């Protein structure tokens, strides 16, 4: 037995040594490969990070150069000139031609309105009218291409709206260059250093959208001429229901209204359109009830939607050819109503107007009356469907 053990042990020694040698060889081979793989992964990750960092730096440089180019372009533009430019005269002529040809398609009565314009820059206001004006306005003469007089006076509290000048309501708006330069400067003030990384083109108005803005103000003139008392009362509204901005039931309710309007506008069938329109009205009633809005606050909502929703509707229709980002985002109702400002009622009113169009309801014939309400017209449209 002892002899067997000794012989067996002696026989196993070479095998064990060879086994250990094989294992050592495998480990010796594996460890460098594993280390090499790890090193390669680190190199790959580092290369990727450098590529990403490089792309970020290149993008920032491009944005910086783009901002500098746009700013330099607007810095060269004089927005305090004492006369309208050839471009601005051309824009006015194009506006009047468009209104004459398509105005009634945009909004009834627009083609026949012959509305005067008041354009302003940083230093002057320019009144474009076919009537002689006897006041502090300085007459710059008769313009043959417009077939109108152009008057000038120093700018004082100029505003984009309908303003009463010499007993006449006129559509007032800044010149396009003045508007774009103001937006660029405001962006720089609001964002500070970071504004250089935001493409200014996102906020620029192109010619088509600028024309839509002019027509927006013309609609205010139609409103003022049709029912001046209501117009004046509605135009004095500011911060409508702003005391509820911190109330989640109020803000969530408004968001829900915007979503239902957007769903109704994008619905494929008439049945779904009506369904979402009904849900919008129900959500509106629930919000006002839960938040206990007063009768006056409810009337303020209705009147602001009438005042600005109607004008924004015409702006939206008239600027359908625009490629600027502001115009393209006008249809995002649920996003627009999320802002905590009166602008949410502009978008709600516009959406209700578009929905009435979709339901083929004749609302425009009554829209300039003293008692027209969008949500009431929508209820009638649903009942008649």
């Amino acid at each position: 037995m002892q002899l067997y053990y000794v012989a067996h042990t002696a026989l196993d020694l070479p095998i064990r040594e060879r086994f250990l040698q094989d294992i050592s060889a495998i480990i010796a081979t594996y460890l460098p490969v594993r280390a090499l793989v790890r090193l390669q992964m680190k190199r790959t990750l580092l290369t990727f990070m450098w590529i990403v960092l490089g792309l970020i730096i290149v993008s920032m440089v491009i944005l910086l150069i783009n901002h500098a180019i746009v700013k330099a372009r607007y810095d060269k533009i004089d927005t305090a000139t004492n006369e309208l430019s050839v471009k601005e005269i051309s824009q006015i002529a194009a506006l009047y031609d468009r209104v004459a040809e398509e105005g009634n398609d945009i909004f009834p009565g627009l083609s026949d309105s012959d509305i005067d314009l008041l354009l302003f820059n940083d230093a002057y206001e320019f009144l474009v009218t076919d009537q002689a004006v006897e006041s502090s306005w300085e007459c710059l003469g008769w313009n043959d291409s417009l077939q109108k007089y152009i008057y000038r006076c120093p700018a004082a509290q100029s505003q984009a709206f309908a303003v009463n000048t010499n007993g006449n309501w006129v559509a007032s708006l800044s010149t396009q260059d003045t508007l774009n330069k103001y937006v660029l400067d405001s962006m720089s003030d609001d964002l500070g250093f970071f504004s250089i990384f935001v493409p200014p083109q996102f906020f620029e108005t192109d010619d088509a959208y600028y024309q839509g803005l002019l027509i927006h103000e013309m609609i205010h003139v139609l409103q003022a001429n049709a029912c001046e008392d209501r117009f004046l009362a509605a135009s004095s509204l500011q911060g409508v229901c702003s005391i509820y901005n911190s109330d989640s039931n109020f803000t969530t309710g408004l968001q829900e209204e915007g979503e239902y309007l957007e769903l109704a506008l994008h619905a494929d069938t008439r049945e779904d359109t009506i369904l979402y329109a009904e849900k919008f009205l129900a959500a509106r009633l629930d919000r006002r009830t839960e938040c206990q809005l007063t009768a006056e606050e409810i009337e303020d909502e209705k009147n602001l939607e009438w005042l600005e929703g109607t004008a924004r509707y015409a702006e939206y229709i008239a600027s359908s050819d625009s490629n600027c980002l502001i115009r393209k985002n006008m249809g995002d109702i649920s996003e627009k109503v999320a802002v905590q400002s009166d602008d949410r009622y502009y978008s709600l009113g516009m959406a209700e107007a578009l929905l009435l169009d979709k339901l083929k309801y004749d609302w425009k014939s009554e829209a300039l009356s003293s008692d027209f309400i969008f949500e009431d017209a929508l209820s009638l449209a649903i009942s008649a469907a």
Side-chain angles (χ1 to χ4, degrees), residues 299-330:
E299 286 304 305
D300 287 348
E301 285 192 330
K302 294 177 179 179
N303 283 321
L304 190 54
E305 284 185 349
W306 168 79
L307 178 71
E308 294 296 354
T310 306
R312 180 159 289 185
Y313 162 85
E315 169 192 329
Y316 181 82
I317 297 298
S319 60
S320 59
D321 292 336
S322 172
N323 291 315
C324 74
L325 188 63
I326 298 175
R327 170 57 178 79
K328 291 181 180 297
N329 288 338
M330 286 178 70

Side-chain angles (χ1 to χ4, degrees), residues 96-155:
Y96 279 122
D97 288 344
R98 172 93 182 277
V99 167
E101 296 173 6
E102 305 173 28
N104 288 338
D105 294 330
I106 297 170
F107 201 88
L110 186 58
S111 292
D112 308 318
S113 57
D114 193 24
I115 296 173
D116 294 339
L117 288 179
L118 191 157
L119 298 185
F120 58 87
N121 60 24
D122 292 331
Y124 294 97
E125 295 179 348
F126 302 92
L127 178 62
V128 180
T129 178
D130 53 9
Q131 300 179 7
V133 176
E134 297 180 1
S135 67
S136 58
W137 290 90
E138 176 188 359
C139 183
L140 299 181
W142 177 263
N143 186 280
D144 290 331
S145 64
L146 298 177
Q147 290 295 292
K148 292 179 182 292
Y149 292 104
I150 298 179
Y151 292 83
R152 177 184 65 201
C153 76

Side-chain angles (χ1 to χ4, degrees), residues 17-33:
E17 290 176 357
R18 286 199 302 270
F19 176 75
L20 292 174
Q21 289 174 356
D22 291 342
I23 292 297
S24 298
I26 292 172
I27 292 174
T29 303
Y30 174 71
L31 286 178
V33 171

Side-chain angles (χ1 to χ4, degrees), residues 39-307:
L39 179 61
Q40 188 61 39
M41 289 178 64
K42 288 181 179 179
R43 287 177 177 174
T44 302
L45 182 59
L46 187 61
T47 301
F48 176 75
M49 291 176 63
W50 276 112
I51 291 174
V52 171
L53 181 60
L55 290 173
I56 292 174
I57 293 174
V58 170
S59 299
M60 292 176 67
V61 170
I62 291 174
L63 290 171
L64 180 62
I65 293 173
N66 175 68
H67 184 275
I69 291 173
V70 174
K71 189 175 187 308
R73 173 159 57 91
Y74 279 106
D75 285 344
K76 291 180 180 179
I77 297 174
D78 186 359
T79 54
T81 58
N82 60 4
E83 61 182 7
L84 293 172
S85 68
V86 173
K87 172 191 171 182
E88 289 156 354
I89 294 293
S90 177
Q91 286 178 324
I92 296 171
L95 170 69
Y96 279 122
D97 288 344
R98 172 93 182 277
V99 167
E101 296 173 6
E102 305 173 28
N104 288 338
D105 294 330
I106 297 170
F107 201 88
L110 186 58
S111 292
D112 308 318
S113 57
D114 193 24
I115 296 173
D116 294 339
L117 288 179
L118 191 157
L119 298 185
F120 58 87
N121 60 24
D122 292 331
Y124 294 97
E125 295 179 348
F126 302 92
L127 178 62
V128 180
T129 178
D130 53 9
Q131 300 179 7
V133 176
E134 297 180 1
S135 67
S136 58
W137 290 90
E138 176 188 359
C139 183
L140 299 181
W142 177 263
N143 186 280
D144 290 331
S145 64
L146 298 177
Q147 290 295 292
K148 292 179 182 292
Y149 292 104
I150 298 179
Y151 292 83
R152 177 184 65 201
C153 76
Q157 298 181 332
S158 305
Q159 62 174 324
F161 201 49
V163 297
N164 195 290
T165 302
N166 298 303
N168 184 40
W169 288 103
V170 302
S172 175
L173 186 66
S174 65
T175 65
Q176 185 180 11
D177 286 336
T178 303
L179 175 60
N180 283 333
K181 192 173 183 178
Y182 169 79
V183 170
L184 180 62
D185 291 341
S186 297
M187 187 175 69
S188 298
D189 292 340
D190 293 340
L191 300 179
F193 170 77
F194 297 101
S195 65
I196 64 177
F197 302 117
V198 179
Q201 291 88 342
F202 284 175
F203 306 99
E204 279 187 309
T205 62
D206 58 17
D207 289 349
Y209 183 61
Y210 180 69
Q211 189 175 91
L213 291 173
L214 287 168
I215 289 175
H216 175 124
E217 308 308 344
M218 283 183 159
I219 296 300
H220 285 318
V221 173
L222 292 183
Q223 291 173 319
N225 287 333
C227 43
E228 188 170 293
D229 289 342
R230 184 184 188 187
F231 172 80
L232 291 173
S235 62
S236 68
L237 295 174
Q238 290 185 342
V240 171
C241 291
S242 58
I243 61 172
Y244 299 100
N245 285 346
S246 59
D247 186 338
S248 59
N249 288 330
F250 183 85
T251 55
T252 301
L254 276 176
Q255 190 76 24
E256 192 175 36
E257 290 174 35
E259 289 171 357
Y260 282 135
L261 284 171
E262 198 168 333
L263 287 169
L265 290 171
H266 290 98
D268 293 327
T269 66
R270 185 173 178 81
E271 290 74 16
D272 284 344
T273 300
I274 294 172
L275 173 64
Y276 289 124
E278 290 174 334
K279 288 187 175 184
F280 157 73
L281 293 173
R284 169 158 288 191
L285 179 60
D286 289 344
R287 173 179 60 84
R288 288 171 174 170
T289 302
E290 289 176 8
C291 298
Q292 299 181 345
L293 267 66
T294 66
E296 182 179 357
E297 289 168 336
I298 293 173
E299 286 304 305
D300 287 348
E301 285 192 330
K302 294 177 179 179
N303 283 321
L304 190 54
E305 284 185 349
W306 168 79
L307 178 71

